[in-house]
Amino acid sequence: MARTDFGPPDYQELIPPIIKENYGNWKYHTVPRPGVLRHVSYSGAVLHSVRVASPRLVSSDWVRDICNIAEKYCDGYLRFTTRNNVEFLVADESKLQPLLTELDDKDFLIGGVGVSISNIVHTQGWIHCKSAVTDASGLTKSIMDQMTDYFTGKVKVPARLRIAVACCVNMCGACHCSDISIVGIHRTIPRVNDEMASRVCEIPNTIAACPTGAIRPNPKVKSVIINPEKCMMCGNCTAVCPAIKIMDPVNDGVSIWVGGKVSNARTAPMFSRLAIPFIPNEPPRWTTVTEAVRNLVDVWRTNAREGERMGEWINRIGWERFFKLADIPFTDKHLDDFTYAKTTFRSTTQFKF
């Protein structure tokens, strides 16, 4: 196939020779130590992948560092996981321990494999997103500073735990299906600058951008009107119309959701459900949010059975007991009465004849 400048390159051109030679022929894998996977193929070939935490928003110097390490021990091969971990792919087993030693010496965090807390997947936040409620990267940094020992395996947990951070309810992260999710929420209706809207906004596109039909035209001033009863404060309209502003330093904050998972093992995939309706933004360290997440992790770690994900544990003991153990007050905000809420989405590949 001819090469073009459109889209990503064919992944077959980028994978290590050992993976290409044993493609679809892997027999099993083990976890010899936290952060290391040992893959064995039917041919007898062995590949070690060493997982290291990444802050996702990284400097060019940091990228050069990991590339130099990969050149030294992995013939230049590494990859990023969906949760922003870096995996060094070691085909020569004699280079595994020297790699681990250098990573430790350079203070890279090795872990996040198997029964542990993986790296936090997060969205763009204040650094890029127009509708961001909170600084996703700063929040993630603050939480992972508290979760370091859970990532490296020094503190044992009953099962895998996945944490996600989304800077607004549009959730371009995996917040709808993570064990613990931190979601930024706006609490005030967007404000429309009518004079500006008539000059810079395409009214039909602005109306079409609203997923709940809360925006209608205002012909008198060549602008739009937002219906507060239908608006869910997602901020979509602000992305297409600069005259609409939704940022509110006083009322913006985050909510915390629990119990989601993508895995189809044992039980069906689950959507996250609301645990803590609102915590105000507290940059730069988000102390209240960090403490709340740490509390949820410790309560789950103390009470869950071996192999039991957060949502599976909550379903076993019941939501009433979960709120009591986690010391979370139950409020009217926990009642899902949104007009367009769906409770019957099929999210599993499990079925019965």
Side-chain angles (χ1 to χ4, degrees), residues 11 19 22 78 91 221 223 311:
Y11 71 94
I19 294 180
N22 295 276
L78 57 79
V221 290
S223 182

Side-chain angles (χ1 to χ4, degrees), residues 108-325:
F108 284 95
L109 290 178
I110 304 171
V113 167
V115 181
S116 65
I117 293 180
S118 187
N119 206 8
I120 295 179
V121 61
H122 69 86
T123 57
Q124 298 288 350
W126 286 338
I127 198 168
H128 176 76
C129 185
K130 292 181 179 178
S131 60
V133 184
T134 190
D135 181 25
S137 54
L139 191 49
T140 296
K141 163 68 175 170
S142 301
I143 294 171
M144 282 306 290
D145 281 349
Q146 294 291 320
M147 297 289 109
T148 297
D149 290 343
Y150 295 83
F151 178 86
T152 58
K154 291 181 180 178
V155 176
K156 303 300 181 183
V157 291
R160 298 172 185 267
L161 187 81
R162 300 292 182 258
I163 303 176
V165 176
C167 56
C168 73
V169 295
N170 290 297
M171 294 192 304
C172 48
C175 284
H176 63 292
C177 54
S178 291
D179 296 282
I180 299 176
S181 304
I182 299 93
V183 182
I185 54 170
H186 295 291
R187 297 196 300 167
T188 53
I189 303 299
R191 305 171 299 280
V192 182
N193 183 328
D194 291 331
E195 181 182 353
M196 186 178 179
S198 64
R199 292 186 285 106
V200 302
C201 298
E202 295 184 2
I203 303 303
N205 286 349
T206 304
I207 294 172
C210 182
T212 60
I215 301 176
R216 66 178 191 270
N218 183 359
K220 291 183 179 179
V221 290
K222 297 181 180 180
S223 182
V224 294
I225 298 174
I226 298 176
N227 183 346
E229 294 182 0
K230 288 186 175 182
C231 178
M232 66 178 184
M233 292 159 281
C234 66
N236 273 359
C237 54
T238 65
V240 297
C241 179
I244 301 178
K245 304 296 182 184
I246 194 171
M247 303 294 186
D248 187 339
V250 176
N251 292 293
D252 286 351
V254 303
S255 56
I256 298 181
W257 302 64
V258 297
K261 75 183 185 81
V262 176
S263 168
N264 211 46
R266 299 179 307 279
T267 58
M270 294 183 282
F271 288 117
S272 305
R273 295 181 181 272
L274 182 65
I276 301 176
F278 180 76
I279 300 175
N281 275 321
E282 298 172 328
R285 297 301 295 177
W286 281 270
T287 306
T288 305
V289 178
T290 301
E291 290 175 352
V293 172
R294 181 65 178 264
N295 174 58
L296 288 170
V297 172
D298 287 341
V299 169
W300 164 72
R301 180 173 65 89
T302 303
N303 295 280
R305 296 171 180 170
E306 185 177 354
E308 203 167 43
R309 295 282 292 266
M310 175 76 75
E312 295 168 339
W313 166 65
I314 294 173
N315 285 341
R316 176 172 63 84
I317 67 173
W319 283 89
E320 183 177 0
R321 181 159 172 74
F322 162 72
F323 277 98
K324 185 175 181 180
L325 287 172

